[in-house]
Amino acid sequence: MRLHITGGTLVTGAGAAPADLLCEDGRIAALLEPGQAVAADERLDASGLLVFPGFIDPHVHSRDPGITEKETFANSTAGALAGGLTTIFEMPNAVPPVTDAALFERRAREHGAVASVDFGLWGQALGEENLDDLGGIVEAGAVGIKLFWGYALDRATKRLVYTYADASPDEVIQPPKVGGVYAIVQRVAAAGGLFSAHCEERGVLAAAEATLPHGIVSYADLLTARPAIAEVAAVTAAGEFSLDSGCRFHVVHVSARRTVAAIAALQAAGAKITAEACAHYLVLTDADVERVGPAMKVYPPIRTADDQAALWDGLADGTLGTIASDHAPHAPAEKAKPLAEQPAGIHGVETLVPLVLDAMHRGRLRPEQVARLLSEQTAATFRVDHRKGRVRVGNDADFTLVDPARPWTIEQTKLHTLHPTSIFDGFSGHGAAVASVIRGELAMRDGEPVGAPRGALVRALPEERG
Ligand code: NCD
Ligand code: ZN
């Protein structure tokens, strides 16, 4: 099957220029001069559109299996497709979580049956309980090993405990102490894997929360209970372990100015440290809680305008190399609870691409930066760039076609997630994905799927370790 994409402007990290593309049997077969004649089975007219390497969201929690009252993989990947993503990386914290190679393969089969976009899988570090299994998960092709550092885990299900004070100590696995994190990083380093952590150091969180005599009532209390220093402390410790061991270390959902500075310093020192911005920290600040209410609760919390400015600077200077959604759905009844009791996490997989494209429309990001932040650097960081995120002959023919001026308004009821709610409801902007190609086949047009779901697993390549 040969698909010919004609008339568009190809955007890569190197720049934008008119080009046609030939896809054959799922791969990129040729980059062609505009208008160059070629035999094909199907043609896709991209006139007036920007053709990006398929967009990747490296941070999605689909809760499936086991927590499907909150979300399913079929729903989250349908949303991903509608929004303009061609690949997502699925976080491991379902029930059971992906904690060994056999569970990795099982999860790949289960998700492969329902996926609307291609997907990579994260593995999960539990601390001492699965140290010996981490190498096998890396070898199987996990995009990374994730430690939920700021969270205790339910002992029976390994589910995240969002409100630690409510849990009885016998029923939870405590997050590892700093030495435990070192042990995990060493194992991941030995396997040539990527280590990532939810960076909020448990001891700092506990000390901060103890300063609130009445507990968490206001949003200001939430910011006091989860201060930037908890993030900085975790990033600095794990960053030094990365420097020491040579382990690749990826910081997810950076939320604070001081964290950006800590990451930049570690990068300058030679650590293999990469970092992620998320749309909600780039678009919202603590002031938005007036409009959104307690449902804005996410860990780490959305902070001040000054923190937000530092995140944009971090994207501009390259300290932060990817943008993700951290799609972390909960049921509406859970998100209607008071701030202290409700679980942390917000929807985002379907709104990521339009929010980033709106930043491009406003001139905050250049098109080639968008290609890097949503495709090229994401694929390189997680070592899937032998297939994804790069416009190169032989790579998967994944493309997101963008109308850079198309106006949009987010209507939460139209989202594909199981519980269609969004803290961006009513937002409007410009720039939208109008079609997607996944492995050489048209998969989405105007936000609607084309054909049946046919997403497949992509395995990351471990680094060679000498
Ligand atoms: C995430 C979740 O609910 O799975 N919640 C969140 O507030 N971000 C976990 C995480 O990424 O920390
Ligand atoms: Zn997290």
Side-chain angles (χ1 to χ4, degrees):
M1 162 47 203
R2 284 158 71 98
L3 173 70
H4 188 196
I5 305 174
T6 63
T9 298
L10 179 65
V11 184
T12 70
D20 293 353
L21 290 148
L22 183 66
C23 316
E24 184 162 15
D25 298 332
R27 307 293 184 92
I28 299 171
L31 272 70
L32 306 170
E33 292 296 322
Q36 189 180 329
V38 64
D41 305 298
E42 280 177 31
R43 284 184 224 278
L44 180 58
D45 181 5
S47 302
L49 303 178
L50 302 178
V51 180
F52 284 91
F55 292 146
I56 304 168
D57 182 350
H59 193 159
V60 176
H61 302 267
S62 302
R63 320 294 199 201
D64 190 357
I67 323 177
T68 48
E69 70 278 9
K70 294 179 192 265
E71 182 63 303
T72 73
F73 198 69
N75 282 96
S76 67
T77 58
L81 180 67
L85 299 162
T86 58
T87 299
I88 63 142
F89 297 162
E90 175 63 17
M91 282 292 171
N93 58 322
V95 178
V98 177
T99 51
D100 63 33
L103 281 161
F104 179 98
E105 298 301 340
R106 190 174 123 193
R107 196 58 40 87
R109 281 194 303 277
E110 291 163 347
H111 285 354
V114 297
S116 283
V117 295
D118 282 359
F119 61 96
L121 291 178
W122 285 87
Q124 185 165 338
L126 299 174
E128 280 176 13
E129 295 203 12
N130 75 335
L131 273 183
D132 292 340
D133 295 316
L134 299 180
I137 306 173
V138 172
E139 263 168 51
V143 293
I145 298 291
K146 175 81 178 280
L147 171 67
F148 290 91
W149 197 339
Y151 294 91
L153 303 177
D154 181 85
R155 188 166 290 287
T157 60
K158 316 279 194 297
R159 282 172 71 146
L160 303 185
V161 175
Y162 294 93
T163 308
Y164 179 67
D166 295 351
S168 111
D170 314 335
E171 286 165 11
V172 301
I173 304 175
Q174 298 291 346
K177 299 214 169 73
V178 149
V181 179
Y182 181 52
I184 294 167
V185 172
Q186 283 181 310
R187 295 298 181 98
V188 178
L194 175 144
F195 171 76
S196 182
H198 175 104
C199 286
E200 288 185 289
E201 206 281 322
R202 171 84 249 152
V204 178
L205 293 180
E209 195 165 348
T211 67
L212 292 168
H214 52 284
I216 296 165
V217 180
S218 66
Y219 194 79
D221 294 338
L222 183 71
L223 291 178
T224 302
R226 305 196 78 101
I229 187 63
E231 189 174 73
V232 175
V235 166
T236 305
E240 290 294 336
F241 299 155
S242 158
L243 201 52
D244 186 70
S245 63
C247 193
R248 290 178 290 138
F249 171 40
H250 186 66
V251 187
V252 289
H253 52 47
V254 176
S255 69
R257 170 176 291 278
R258 291 174 63 185
T259 314
V260 179
I263 291 166
L266 284 155
Q267 286 169 340
K272 292 186 199 165
I273 174 170
T274 51
E276 165 191 287
C278 293
H280 42 287
Y281 305 108
L282 294 170
V283 173
L284 303 177
T285 68
D286 53 353
D288 286 286
V289 78
E290 298 292 325
R291 176 185 56 82
V292 179
M296 202 169 90
K297 180 177 177 182
V298 59
Y299 292 160
I302 295 168
R303 303 185 196 275
T304 65
D306 180 63
D307 290 297
Q308 185 183 76
L311 299 175
W312 282 107
D313 290 346
L315 288 173
D317 70 19
T319 308
L320 307 178
T322 62
I323 308 180
S325 71
D326 188 9
H327 182 70
H330 299 289
E334 296 176 295
K335 292 300 285 182
K337 289 183 180 175
L339 198 56
E341 287 150 49
Q342 69 164 277
I346 56 150
H347 290 94
V349 75
E350 193 165 345
T351 48
L352 172 66
V353 172
L355 289 171
V356 172
L357 292 175
D358 186 55
M360 184 177 88
H361 185 261
R362 290 164 189 251
R364 232 173 165 174
L365 295 171
R366 294 184 311 279
E368 57 270 29
Q369 272 180 297
V370 172
R372 287 200 287 267
L373 293 165
L374 289 182
S375 310
E376 288 178 7
Q377 284 166 183
T378 312
T381 292
F382 294 96
R383 293 180 60 87
V384 299
D385 53 340
H386 59 298
R387 287 192 43 199
K388 301 297 187 191
R390 269 168 87 171
V391 180
R392 185 177 64 165
V393 170
N395 267 41
D396 286 7
D398 296 350
F399 297 100
T400 303
L401 276 57
V402 165
D403 177 344
R406 179 172 291 202
W408 50 258
T409 299
I410 293 170
E411 289 175 64
Q412 59 183 5
T413 55
K414 294 198 174 152
L415 299 175
H416 292 73
T417 179
L418 181 64
H419 300 292
T421 60
S422 171
I423 61 175
F424 304 111
D425 187 43
F427 269 55
S428 50
H430 294 85
V434 295
S436 305
V437 172
I438 301 180
R439 280 174 287 111
E441 291 181 21
L442 185 66
M444 180 276 279
R445 198 189 273 278
D446 291 324
E448 294 301 326
V450 178
R454 51 193 185 281
L457 177 73
V458 56
R459 292 179 200 263
L461 295 177
E463 255 178 314
E464 296 291 333
R465 304 291 291 183

